[in-house]
Amino acid sequence: MSTPESAGDPAAQISLEQVRHVAELARLAMSDEELESCRGELASILRHIATIDAVDVDGVEPLAHAIDMSNRLSDDEPAESLSIDDVLANAPALEDRFIAVPKVLDPGADE
Amino acid sequence: MTGSLRTISDRVRDGSSSAVAELDRCLERIARDDGPIGSFQCTGADAARERAEAVDRRIAAGEDMGPLAGVPIAIKDNIVSRGEPTTCGSRMLEDFHSPYDATVITKLIEAGAVPFGKTRCDEFAMGSGTEYCAFGPVHNPWDLDRVPGGSSGGSAAAVAAELCPASLGSDTGGSIRQPASLCGVVGIKPTYGRVSRYGLVSFGPSLDQIGPFARSVEDAALVLQAIAGEDIHDSTTIDSPAEDFTTSLHEPIEGLRIGLPSEYLDAHNDDAVNAMVHAAVETYRGLGAEIVDVTLPLTDVGIATYYVIGPAEASSNLARFDGIRYGRRVEPAAGEGLFELYARSRGEGFGPEVRRRIMLGTYVLSAGYYDAYYKRALQVRRLIRREFEDVFRRCDVLLGPTTPAPAFRIGSISDPLAMYLCDRYTVNANIAGICGISIPAGCTEVDGKPLPLGLQLQAPALGESTLLRAARMYEAATNHHEARPGSNA
């Protein structure tokens, strides 16, 4: 993937392989048909997004947040937190008081 | 008629009614009328009745309650309440029960209101018609074949059909104002940071705001008053002195300067929409307002900018739905591992529009594209904010349509981009963090049925007092807000 000069370049050329790669990054299992229809929709939306290329942004600082604010710290005082039972009640799989997940480490691998 | 909020709270406080009776009135109406509309995902009757009983006990104990005493307020299904479901219109959260109350719920309860139920919305608030709800669409009470708008379509439809006197929604790119417009009710998108987002299931955290729906500007202002304010649980709430939006609400603003951006009278708007704007201009002129012609050239790139920033934030935000701690989990097959658990849980849990936006957001943030899309969009964002700041030096509020057209037919827009363009006039307020309101502005007849049109006013950040007073001037002069579905057919 080459770095595009502007947002407009990749829109028309977005390939099925790119869409598959993005779906992997996003951790979204999709069928081939879903990936293909997603490719067409992304291309159409990206073409519209390319209209921002016409805006002169030279020397303009990016604005991540509309209201100027900085980090705020709360007082370091203990307060009541959520009930662990209530929180665990939403977990899809439990073992005792732990959330169960598939094996993450390869048992055959060295320490 | 369920009456104004002040009427309801007066009769609850003087003992001629009770919070429980007011709640029951709403529940009966929902049971009778909501079938074909589908605005409620659930009514949460048991939890609501407990809250109503608590209000009646507080009144009996002599507590001096305000204008929300005993007022039932429906809640959008992306705002959490303790022990109750919040689905966000998604299979992903079908069985989720929140362990805590959103700050807006806590504040409404403190004010004596009775938050109740969950109203249907587009999945994770992504949509403009409430068609993308995994549990079924919401129908517009004015014409059941049409959408109520979205994403807070259930909250708007419920108020329009008089199933409840007020409701809460959330607005990331127009999701309060656009359905308010299409359903003929009042909807407010407050200034970013005005209302705590704690307990709102996050979509685009730099854009999201919770706000009210009601049948009059005053009712909406009363709800806003109750939910506004700094919150220790949301560090983006604005540390500003509490302001009373309601005391001067009925006083007309002398010498009001109304900006009319030429871009808002677009040739692509429905003719009735442009005619409505012209008529509103004349109404304000008749009230002594000065009309200032302005231009907002970046209106045209709002949607493009929004569909970089919104999906980018959503793709990163919705990473929390991974099938591990809460939400839907699809266990991996033999030989598969954690990656497959994530990908299958998310692939099955999210509907097509949510997947689309996650894909778009992941793409624009991915290596090699970040500068071309995300950084550039944030630069344009600064220019959009600057453009508003410049015009607000010459006028107090901006006037225009909320939407380019009245409600469309359910299922009639299949192209995602065409759906996105419905929000042309609303997204820039979120991008710039300013406040906006949609108020009923009369109806246009389509296929023999009246469909509401909405007038949008916008004001600078923290300009709610001016915004609401200006809106009330129009409302008092026109009484369009009194039109109800079926009443003027």
Side-chain angles (χ1 to χ4, degrees), chain B residues 77-159:
Chain B
D77 197 11
N78 65 348
I79 297 172
V80 304
S81 50
R82 186 179 155 81
E84 295 190 282
T86 300
T87 73
C88 291
S90 181
R91 297 278 172 211
M92 179 61 85
L93 290 177
E94 199 166 358
D95 300 316
F96 178 77
H97 288 68
S98 172
Y100 69 99
D101 276 335
T103 296
V104 291
I105 300 285
T106 307
K107 280 178 167 279
L108 286 179
I109 290 172
E110 277 167 11
V114 179
F116 81 102
K118 292 292 160 73
T119 57
R120 280 193 175 153
C121 57
D122 286 293
E123 186 174 359
F124 286 101
M126 298 175 187
S128 303
T130 318
E131 295 175 282
Y132 305 148
C133 172
F135 309 104
V138 178
H139 301 257
N140 192 316
W142 293 82
D143 179 348
L144 295 173
D145 294 333
R146 292 178 188 270
V147 301
S151 67
S152 314
S155 287
V159 170

Side-chain angles (χ1 to χ4, degrees), chain B residues 8-230:
Chain B
I8 295 171
S9 57
D10 280 350
R11 65 185 179 230
V12 168
R13 285 181 295 185
D14 73 16
S16 58
S17 180
S18 67
V20 169
E22 296 300 331
L23 173 68
D24 283 342
R25 194 195 304 266
C26 290
L27 295 175
E28 281 159 25
R29 292 203 66 128
I30 293 164
R32 193 188 75 192
D33 296 338
D34 197 38
I37 302 170
S39 55
F40 279 85
Q41 175 68 17
C42 63
T43 59
D46 293 344
R49 190 160 284 117
E50 280 176 28
R51 292 183 195 123
E53 285 166 356
V55 170
D56 288 333
R57 281 195 300 273
R58 283 161 68 186
I59 290 172
E63 187 176 330
D64 185 18
M65 283 198 177
L68 292 191
V71 174
I73 297 179
I75 306 297
K76 184 177 180 180
D77 197 11
N78 65 348
I79 297 172
V80 304
S81 50
R82 186 179 155 81
E84 295 190 282
T86 300
T87 73
C88 291
S90 181
R91 297 278 172 211
M92 179 61 85
L93 290 177
E94 199 166 358
D95 300 316
F96 178 77
H97 288 68
S98 172
Y100 69 99
D101 276 335
T103 296
V104 291
I105 300 285
T106 307
K107 280 178 167 279
L108 286 179
I109 290 172
E110 277 167 11
V114 179
F116 81 102
K118 292 292 160 73
T119 57
R120 280 193 175 153
C121 57
D122 286 293
E123 186 174 359
F124 286 101
M126 298 175 187
S128 303
T130 318
E131 295 175 282
Y132 305 148
C133 172
F135 309 104
V138 178
H139 301 257
N140 192 316
W142 293 82
D143 179 348
L144 295 173
D145 294 333
R146 292 178 188 270
V147 301
S151 67
S152 314
S155 287
V159 170
E162 297 185 90
L163 307 180
C164 56
S167 61
L168 293 187
S170 65
D171 190 315
T172 305
S175 282
I176 290 173
R177 291 160 289 158
Q178 187 256 15
S181 172
L182 271 45
C183 287
V185 297
V186 175
I188 301 173
K189 198 292 280 185
T191 301
Y192 183 82
R194 181 65 98 174
V195 178
S196 169
R197 294 177 295 110
Y198 180 67
L200 169 68
V201 179
S202 187
F203 158 12
S206 84
L207 305 161
D208 298 335
Q209 267 294 285
I210 294 173
F213 289 94
R215 289 190 290 272
S216 70
V217 174
E218 179 176 46
D219 285 358
L222 288 168
V223 178
L224 177 62
Q225 190 72 51
I227 61 175
E230 195 187 6

Side-chain angles (χ1 to χ4, degrees), chain A residues 4 7 10 18 26-27 29 34 41 52 55 57 60-66 69 72 86 90-92 99-100, chain B residues 82 97 192 230 235-237 324-326 329 339 343 346 355-356 363 368-369 373 376 378-379 381-382 385 432:
Chain A
Q18 277 176 295
R27 302 291 186 268
E34 285 169 336
E41 289 157 359
I52 62 173
V55 182
V57 294
V60 177
E61 270 296 299
L63 178 71
H65 238 267
M69 47 179 62
R72 286 149 67 183
D86 286 356
N90 280 303
I99 294 171
Chain B
R82 186 179 155 81
H97 288 68
Y192 183 82
E230 195 187 6
S235 65
T236 62
T237 47
I324 301 292
R325 292 149 300 154
Y326 45 75
R329 177 188 288 194
F339 178 90
R346 292 162 60 77
R355 290 199 304 239
R356 189 148 50 232
Y363 180 83
Y369 298 102
Y373 289 111
R376 177 173 278 266
L378 293 186
Q379 290 173 306
R381 181 178 204 174
R382 182 174 296 279
R385 187 177 74 168

Side-chain angles (χ1 to χ4, degrees), chain B residues 293-316:
Chain B
D293 288 319
V294 299
T295 61
L296 288 171
L298 294 174
T299 301
D300 289 334
V301 291
I303 292 292
T305 308
Y306 179 81
Y307 277 92
V308 175
I309 297 172
E313 293 190 8
S315 72
S316 135

